[in-house]
PDB file of all heavy atoms in Angstrom:
ATOM      1  N   PRO A   1     -11.568  -5.554  18.090  1.00  0.00           N
ATOM      2  CA  PRO A   1     -10.791  -5.113  16.929  1.00  0.00           C
ATOM      3  C   PRO A   1      -9.400  -4.622  17.341  1.00  0.00           C
ATOM      4  O   PRO A   1      -9.217  -4.037  18.413  1.00  0.00           O
ATOM      5  CB  PRO A   1     -11.620  -3.967  16.358  1.00  0.00           C
ATOM      6  CG  PRO A   1     -13.004  -4.222  16.849  1.00  0.00           C
ATOM      7  CD  PRO A   1     -12.852  -4.849  18.202  1.00  0.00           C
ATOM      8  N   ARG A   2      -8.434  -4.865  16.488  1.00  0.00           N
ATOM      9  CA  ARG A   2      -7.076  -4.393  16.696  1.00  0.00           C
ATOM     10  C   ARG A   2      -6.878  -3.132  15.867  1.00  0.00           C
ATOM     11  O   ARG A   2      -7.056  -3.134  14.652  1.00  0.00           O
ATOM     12  CB  ARG A   2      -6.074  -5.461  16.272  1.00  0.00           C
ATOM     13  CG  ARG A   2      -4.618  -4.981  16.143  1.00  0.00           C
ATOM     14  CD  ARG A   2      -4.048  -4.555  17.479  1.00  0.00           C
ATOM     15  NE  ARG A   2      -2.802  -3.824  17.316  1.00  0.00           N
ATOM     16  CZ  ARG A   2      -1.632  -4.253  17.769  1.00  0.00           C
ATOM     17  NH1 ARG A   2      -1.540  -5.425  18.370  1.00  0.00           N
ATOM     18  NH2 ARG A   2      -0.549  -3.515  17.621  1.00  0.00           N
ATOM     19  N   VAL A   3      -6.502  -2.030  16.521  1.00  0.00           N
ATOM     20  CA  VAL A   3      -6.309  -0.752  15.850  1.00  0.00           C
ATOM     21  C   VAL A   3      -4.844  -0.361  15.904  1.00  0.00           C
ATOM     22  O   VAL A   3      -4.215  -0.424  16.967  1.00  0.00           O
ATOM     23  CB  VAL A   3      -7.170   0.354  16.485  1.00  0.00           C
ATOM     24  CG1 VAL A   3      -6.793   1.730  15.915  1.00  0.00           C
ATOM     25  CG2 VAL A   3      -8.651   0.080  16.241  1.00  0.00           C
ATOM     26  N   ASP A   4      -4.297   0.025  14.767  1.00  0.00           N
ATOM     27  CA  ASP A   4      -2.929   0.542  14.687  1.00  0.00           C
ATOM     28  C   ASP A   4      -2.965   1.917  14.032  1.00  0.00           C
ATOM     29  O   ASP A   4      -3.487   2.067  12.923  1.00  0.00           O
ATOM     30  CB  ASP A   4      -2.046  -0.396  13.859  1.00  0.00           C
ATOM     31  CG  ASP A   4      -1.865  -1.756  14.520  1.00  0.00           C
ATOM     32  OD1 ASP A   4      -1.109  -1.833  15.488  1.00  0.00           O
ATOM     33  OD2 ASP A   4      -2.499  -2.714  14.045  1.00  0.00           O
ATOM     34  N   LEU A   5      -2.431   2.912  14.723  1.00  0.00           N
ATOM     35  CA  LEU A   5      -2.288   4.260  14.165  1.00  0.00           C
ATOM     36  C   LEU A   5      -0.893   4.353  13.562  1.00  0.00           C
ATOM     37  O   LEU A   5       0.093   4.522  14.268  1.00  0.00           O
ATOM     38  CB  LEU A   5      -2.475   5.322  15.249  1.00  0.00           C
ATOM     39  CG  LEU A   5      -3.813   5.331  15.988  1.00  0.00           C
ATOM     40  CD1 LEU A   5      -3.829   6.430  17.052  1.00  0.00           C
ATOM     41  CD2 LEU A   5      -4.983   5.508  15.021  1.00  0.00           C
ATOM     42  N   LEU A   6      -0.810   4.195  12.251  1.00  0.00           N
ATOM     43  CA  LEU A   6       0.476   4.192  11.576  1.00  0.00           C
ATOM     44  C   LEU A   6       0.767   5.550  10.953  1.00  0.00           C
ATOM     45  O   LEU A   6      -0.136   6.224  10.455  1.00  0.00           O
ATOM     46  CB  LEU A   6       0.509   3.143  10.452  1.00  0.00           C
ATOM     47  CG  LEU A   6       0.258   1.688  10.816  1.00  0.00           C
ATOM     48  CD1 LEU A   6       0.528   0.809   9.607  1.00  0.00           C
ATOM     49  CD2 LEU A   6       1.120   1.250  11.994  1.00  0.00           C
ATOM     50  N   GLN A   7       2.035   5.930  10.959  1.00  0.00           N
ATOM     51  CA  GLN A   7       2.406   7.115  10.192  1.00  0.00           C
ATOM     52  C   GLN A   7       2.285   6.800   8.702  1.00  0.00           C
ATOM     53  O   GLN A   7       2.418   5.643   8.272  1.00  0.00           O
ATOM     54  CB  GLN A   7       3.821   7.567  10.545  1.00  0.00           C
ATOM     55  CG  GLN A   7       4.925   6.653  10.078  1.00  0.00           C
ATOM     56  CD  GLN A   7       6.141   7.421   9.559  1.00  0.00           C
ATOM     57  OE1 GLN A   7       6.029   8.559   9.095  1.00  0.00           O
ATOM     58  NE2 GLN A   7       7.301   6.802   9.629  1.00  0.00           N
ATOM     59  N   GLY A   8       2.047   7.817   7.909  1.00  0.00           N
ATOM     60  CA  GLY A   8       1.809   7.616   6.483  1.00  0.00           C
ATOM     61  C   GLY A   8       2.977   7.020   5.738  1.00  0.00           C
ATOM     62  O   GLY A   8       2.806   6.429   4.667  1.00  0.00           O
ATOM     63  N   TYR A   9       4.198   7.166   6.287  1.00  0.00           N
ATOM     64  CA  TYR A   9       5.382   6.591   5.658  1.00  0.00           C
ATOM     65  C   TYR A   9       5.895   5.394   6.447  1.00  0.00           C
ATOM     66  O   TYR A   9       7.077   5.062   6.388  1.00  0.00           O
ATOM     67  CB  TYR A   9       6.483   7.652   5.531  1.00  0.00           C
ATOM     68  CG  TYR A   9       6.086   8.822   4.674  1.00  0.00           C
ATOM     69  CD1 TYR A   9       5.881  10.079   5.224  1.00  0.00           C
ATOM     70  CD2 TYR A   9       5.911   8.669   3.300  1.00  0.00           C
ATOM     71  CE1 TYR A   9       5.512  11.161   4.435  1.00  0.00           C
ATOM     72  CE2 TYR A   9       5.541   9.743   2.505  1.00  0.00           C
ATOM     73  CZ  TYR A   9       5.351  10.988   3.080  1.00  0.00           C
ATOM     74  OH  TYR A   9       4.982  12.048   2.289  1.00  0.00           O
ATOM     75  N   ASP A  10       5.008   4.743   7.184  1.00  0.00           N
ATOM     76  CA  ASP A  10       5.422   3.587   7.971  1.00  0.00           C
ATOM     77  C   ASP A  10       5.994   2.502   7.053  1.00  0.00           C
ATOM     78  O   ASP A  10       5.600   2.358   5.890  1.00  0.00           O
ATOM     79  CB  ASP A  10       4.225   3.030   8.742  1.00  0.00           C
ATOM     80  CG  ASP A  10       4.650   2.018   9.803  1.00  0.00           C
ATOM     81  OD1 ASP A  10       4.926   2.442  10.932  1.00  0.00           O
ATOM     82  OD2 ASP A  10       4.712   0.813   9.476  1.00  0.00           O
ATOM     83  N   GLU A  11       6.908   1.709   7.608  1.00  0.00           N
ATOM     84  CA  GLU A  11       7.493   0.620   6.822  1.00  0.00           C
ATOM     85  C   GLU A  11       6.446  -0.410   6.401  1.00  0.00           C
ATOM     86  O   GLU A  11       6.627  -1.108   5.400  1.00  0.00           O
ATOM     87  CB  GLU A  11       8.612  -0.050   7.609  1.00  0.00           C
ATOM     88  CG  GLU A  11       9.847   0.811   7.760  1.00  0.00           C
ATOM     89  CD  GLU A  11      10.446   1.216   6.418  1.00  0.00           C
ATOM     90  OE1 GLU A  11      10.773   0.314   5.612  1.00  0.00           O
ATOM     91  OE2 GLU A  11      10.581   2.424   6.163  1.00  0.00           O
ATOM     92  N   MET A  12       5.341  -0.516   7.120  1.00  0.00           N
ATOM     93  CA  MET A  12       4.269  -1.414   6.713  1.00  0.00           C
ATOM     94  C   MET A  12       3.658  -0.960   5.389  1.00  0.00           C
ATOM     95  O   MET A  12       3.055  -1.757   4.667  1.00  0.00           O
ATOM     96  CB  MET A  12       3.197  -1.463   7.814  1.00  0.00           C
ATOM     97  CG  MET A  12       2.119  -2.512   7.611  1.00  0.00           C
ATOM     98  SD  MET A  12       2.760  -4.195   7.621  1.00  0.00           S
ATOM     99  CE  MET A  12       1.342  -5.082   6.955  1.00  0.00           C
ATOM    100  N   ILE A  13       3.849   0.295   5.060  1.00  0.00           N
ATOM    101  CA  ILE A  13       3.340   0.855   3.812  1.00  0.00           C
ATOM    102  C   ILE A  13       4.460   0.976   2.785  1.00  0.00           C
ATOM    103  O   ILE A  13       4.334   0.530   1.643  1.00  0.00           O
ATOM    104  CB  ILE A  13       2.708   2.239   4.069  1.00  0.00           C
ATOM    105  CG1 ILE A  13       1.528   2.109   5.041  1.00  0.00           C
ATOM    106  CG2 ILE A  13       2.269   2.894   2.770  1.00  0.00           C
ATOM    107  CD1 ILE A  13       1.104   3.417   5.672  1.00  0.00           C
ATOM    108  N   MET A  14       5.593   1.551   3.175  1.00  0.00           N
ATOM    109  CA  MET A  14       6.623   1.928   2.218  1.00  0.00           C
ATOM    110  C   MET A  14       7.550   0.783   1.835  1.00  0.00           C
ATOM    111  O   MET A  14       8.335   0.920   0.894  1.00  0.00           O
ATOM    112  CB  MET A  14       7.450   3.089   2.777  1.00  0.00           C
ATOM    113  CG  MET A  14       6.616   4.308   3.149  1.00  0.00           C
ATOM    114  SD  MET A  14       5.479   4.877   1.846  1.00  0.00           S
ATOM    115  CE  MET A  14       6.632   5.315   0.540  1.00  0.00           C
ATOM    116  N   SER A  15       7.481  -0.338   2.529  1.00  0.00           N
ATOM    117  CA  SER A  15       8.375  -1.458   2.219  1.00  0.00           C
ATOM    118  C   SER A  15       7.930  -2.247   1.004  1.00  0.00           C
ATOM    119  O   SER A  15       8.667  -3.132   0.545  1.00  0.00           O
ATOM    120  CB  SER A  15       8.461  -2.413   3.419  1.00  0.00           C
ATOM    121  OG  SER A  15       9.045  -1.794   4.532  1.00  0.00           O
ATOM    122  N   TYR A  16       6.728  -1.984   0.481  1.00  0.00           N
ATOM    123  CA  TYR A  16       6.132  -2.873  -0.517  1.00  0.00           C
ATOM    124  C   TYR A  16       5.636  -2.094  -1.732  1.00  0.00           C
ATOM    125  O   TYR A  16       4.455  -1.803  -1.860  1.00  0.00           O
ATOM    126  CB  TYR A  16       4.976  -3.657   0.116  1.00  0.00           C
ATOM    127  CG  TYR A  16       5.350  -4.284   1.434  1.00  0.00           C
ATOM    128  CD1 TYR A  16       4.907  -3.736   2.639  1.00  0.00           C
ATOM    129  CD2 TYR A  16       6.156  -5.411   1.476  1.00  0.00           C
ATOM    130  CE1 TYR A  16       5.255  -4.305   3.843  1.00  0.00           C
ATOM    131  CE2 TYR A  16       6.511  -5.987   2.697  1.00  0.00           C
ATOM    132  CZ  TYR A  16       6.059  -5.423   3.871  1.00  0.00           C
ATOM    133  OH  TYR A  16       6.413  -5.990   5.076  1.00  0.00           O
ATOM    134  N   SER A  17       6.529  -1.760  -2.626  1.00  0.00           N
ATOM    135  CA  SER A  17       6.119  -0.996  -3.802  1.00  0.00           C
ATOM    136  C   SER A  17       5.254  -1.816  -4.745  1.00  0.00           C
ATOM    137  O   SER A  17       4.388  -1.275  -5.435  1.00  0.00           O
ATOM    138  CB  SER A  17       7.359  -0.498  -4.558  1.00  0.00           C
ATOM    139  OG  SER A  17       8.202  -1.578  -4.928  1.00  0.00           O
ATOM    140  N   GLN A  18       5.444  -3.145  -4.761  1.00  0.00           N
ATOM    141  CA  GLN A  18       4.655  -3.997  -5.650  1.00  0.00           C
ATOM    142  C   GLN A  18       3.426  -4.570  -4.965  1.00  0.00           C
ATOM    143  O   GLN A  18       2.387  -4.731  -5.594  1.00  0.00           O
ATOM    144  CB  GLN A  18       5.508  -5.149  -6.195  1.00  0.00           C
ATOM    145  CG  GLN A  18       4.748  -6.062  -7.166  1.00  0.00           C
ATOM    146  CD  GLN A  18       5.637  -7.133  -7.775  1.00  0.00           C
ATOM    147  OE1 GLN A  18       6.660  -7.497  -7.208  1.00  0.00           O
ATOM    148  NE2 GLN A  18       5.259  -7.619  -8.955  1.00  0.00           N
ATOM    149  N   SER A  19       3.519  -4.861  -3.688  1.00  0.00           N
ATOM    150  CA  SER A  19       2.454  -5.637  -3.036  1.00  0.00           C
ATOM    151  C   SER A  19       1.855  -4.908  -1.842  1.00  0.00           C
ATOM    152  O   SER A  19       1.544  -5.498  -0.827  1.00  0.00           O
ATOM    153  CB  SER A  19       3.000  -6.997  -2.600  1.00  0.00           C
ATOM    154  OG  SER A  19       4.119  -6.848  -1.736  1.00  0.00           O
ATOM    155  N   ARG A  20       1.665  -3.582  -2.000  1.00  0.00           N
ATOM    156  CA  ARG A  20       1.104  -2.780  -0.917  1.00  0.00           C
ATOM    157  C   ARG A  20      -0.372  -3.076  -0.680  1.00  0.00           C
ATOM    158  O   ARG A  20      -0.935  -2.745   0.359  1.00  0.00           O
ATOM    159  CB  ARG A  20       1.302  -1.302  -1.242  1.00  0.00           C
ATOM    160  CG  ARG A  20       1.033  -0.347  -0.099  1.00  0.00           C
ATOM    161  CD  ARG A  20       1.462   1.056  -0.483  1.00  0.00           C
ATOM    162  NE  ARG A  20       2.900   1.128  -0.640  1.00  0.00           N
ATOM    163  CZ  ARG A  20       3.520   1.994  -1.439  1.00  0.00           C
ATOM    164  NH1 ARG A  20       2.815   2.838  -2.173  1.00  0.00           N
ATOM    165  NH2 ARG A  20       4.832   2.008  -1.530  1.00  0.00           N
ATOM    166  N   ALA A  21      -1.040  -3.711  -1.637  1.00  0.00           N
ATOM    167  CA  ALA A  21      -2.479  -3.949  -1.528  1.00  0.00           C
ATOM    168  C   ALA A  21      -2.853  -4.833  -0.353  1.00  0.00           C
ATOM    169  O   ALA A  21      -4.032  -4.957  -0.028  1.00  0.00           O
ATOM    170  CB  ALA A  21      -3.008  -4.564  -2.824  1.00  0.00           C
ATOM    171  N   ALA A  22      -1.883  -5.444   0.299  1.00  0.00           N
ATOM    172  CA  ALA A  22      -2.186  -6.339   1.421  1.00  0.00           C
ATOM    173  C   ALA A  22      -2.961  -5.645   2.526  1.00  0.00           C
ATOM    174  O   ALA A  22      -3.736  -6.286   3.243  1.00  0.00           O
ATOM    175  CB  ALA A  22      -0.902  -6.933   1.985  1.00  0.00           C
ATOM    176  N   ILE A  23      -2.783  -4.329   2.711  1.00  0.00           N
ATOM    177  CA  ILE A  23      -3.495  -3.641   3.793  1.00  0.00           C
ATOM    178  C   ILE A  23      -4.665  -2.812   3.280  1.00  0.00           C
ATOM    179  O   ILE A  23      -5.306  -2.113   4.069  1.00  0.00           O
ATOM    180  CB  ILE A  23      -2.552  -2.742   4.613  1.00  0.00           C
ATOM    181  CG1 ILE A  23      -1.987  -1.609   3.744  1.00  0.00           C
ATOM    182  CG2 ILE A  23      -1.461  -3.557   5.285  1.00  0.00           C
ATOM    183  CD1 ILE A  23      -1.318  -0.512   4.551  1.00  0.00           C
ATOM    184  N   LEU A  24      -4.944  -2.866   1.987  1.00  0.00           N
ATOM    185  CA  LEU A  24      -6.026  -2.053   1.448  1.00  0.00           C
ATOM    186  C   LEU A  24      -7.348  -2.805   1.496  1.00  0.00           C
ATOM    187  O   LEU A  24      -7.377  -4.034   1.405  1.00  0.00           O
ATOM    188  CB  LEU A  24      -5.715  -1.647   0.012  1.00  0.00           C
ATOM    189  CG  LEU A  24      -4.440  -0.827  -0.198  1.00  0.00           C
ATOM    190  CD1 LEU A  24      -4.327  -0.411  -1.650  1.00  0.00           C
ATOM    191  CD2 LEU A  24      -4.405   0.393   0.708  1.00  0.00           C
ATOM    192  N   PRO A  25      -8.460  -2.089   1.615  1.00  0.00           N
ATOM    193  CA  PRO A  25      -9.758  -2.753   1.587  1.00  0.00           C
ATOM    194  C   PRO A  25      -9.946  -3.527   0.292  1.00  0.00           C
ATOM    195  O   PRO A  25      -9.355  -3.194  -0.738  1.00  0.00           O
ATOM    196  CB  PRO A  25     -10.752  -1.589   1.691  1.00  0.00           C
ATOM    197  CG  PRO A  25      -9.975  -0.452   2.268  1.00  0.00           C
ATOM    198  CD  PRO A  25      -8.566  -0.636   1.792  1.00  0.00           C
ATOM    199  N   GLY A  26     -10.744  -4.581   0.315  1.00  0.00           N
ATOM    200  CA  GLY A  26     -10.970  -5.410  -0.865  1.00  0.00           C
ATOM    201  C   GLY A  26     -11.346  -4.582  -2.073  1.00  0.00           C
ATOM    202  O   GLY A  26     -12.208  -3.705  -2.005  1.00  0.00           O
ATOM    203  N   GLY A  27     -10.661  -4.855  -3.185  1.00  0.00           N
ATOM    204  CA  GLY A  27     -10.950  -4.148  -4.420  1.00  0.00           C
ATOM    205  C   GLY A  27     -10.128  -2.901  -4.630  1.00  0.00           C
ATOM    206  O   GLY A  27     -10.100  -2.366  -5.732  1.00  0.00           O
ATOM    207  N   SER A  28      -9.428  -2.400  -3.573  1.00  0.00           N
ATOM    208  CA  SER A  28      -8.606  -1.210  -3.741  1.00  0.00           C
ATOM    209  C   SER A  28      -7.336  -1.561  -4.492  1.00  0.00           C
ATOM    210  O   SER A  28      -6.860  -2.686  -4.438  1.00  0.00           O
ATOM    211  CB  SER A  28      -8.245  -0.608  -2.381  1.00  0.00           C
ATOM    212  OG  SER A  28      -9.400  -0.163  -1.707  1.00  0.00           O
ATOM    213  N   LYS A  29      -6.779  -0.605  -5.176  1.00  0.00           N
ATOM    214  CA  LYS A  29      -5.531  -0.781  -5.894  1.00  0.00           C
ATOM    215  C   LYS A  29      -4.444   0.044  -5.228  1.00  0.00           C
ATOM    216  O   LYS A  29      -4.660   1.190  -4.841  1.00  0.00           O
ATOM    217  CB  LYS A  29      -5.676  -0.333  -7.360  1.00  0.00           C
ATOM    218  CG  LYS A  29      -6.736  -1.120  -8.136  1.00  0.00           C
ATOM    219  CD  LYS A  29      -6.349  -2.585  -8.279  1.00  0.00           C
ATOM    220  CE  LYS A  29      -7.366  -3.327  -9.141  1.00  0.00           C
ATOM    221  NZ  LYS A  29      -7.044  -4.765  -9.254  1.00  0.00           N
ATOM    222  N   ALA A  30      -3.273  -0.562  -5.084  1.00  0.00           N
ATOM    223  CA  ALA A  30      -2.152   0.165  -4.490  1.00  0.00           C
ATOM    224  C   ALA A  30      -1.617   1.184  -5.480  1.00  0.00           C
ATOM    225  O   ALA A  30      -1.540   0.932  -6.674  1.00  0.00           O
ATOM    226  CB  ALA A  30      -1.046  -0.803  -4.096  1.00  0.00           C
ATOM    227  N   THR A  31      -1.236   2.354  -4.989  1.00  0.00           N
ATOM    228  CA  THR A  31      -0.607   3.383  -5.799  1.00  0.00           C
ATOM    229  C   THR A  31       0.723   3.721  -5.152  1.00  0.00           C
ATOM    230  O   THR A  31       1.260   2.949  -4.381  1.00  0.00           O
ATOM    231  CB  THR A  31      -1.494   4.639  -5.854  1.00  0.00           C
ATOM    232  OG1 THR A  31      -1.638   5.166  -4.517  1.00  0.00           O
ATOM    233  CG2 THR A  31      -2.868   4.319  -6.407  1.00  0.00           C
TER     234      THR A  31
END
């Protein structure tokens, strides 16, 4: 498994206000 410890405001999270669900578990909704 590949593990990444990201900060909560990482660009992988904050760059995508519309499509943040890409990293969420199946069925989760981005907020």
Side-chain angles (χ1 to χ4, degrees):
R2 167 65 193 244
V3 171
D4 295 285
L5 301 179
L6 301 188
Q7 70 140 334
Y9 299 111
D10 192 89
E11 290 301 303
M12 188 63 194
I13 299 163
M14 304 309 298
S15 296
Y16 312 104
S17 57
Q18 182 176 24
S19 57
R20 192 172 293 152
I23 64 167
L24 300 184
S28 296
K29 300 295 184 182
T31 62

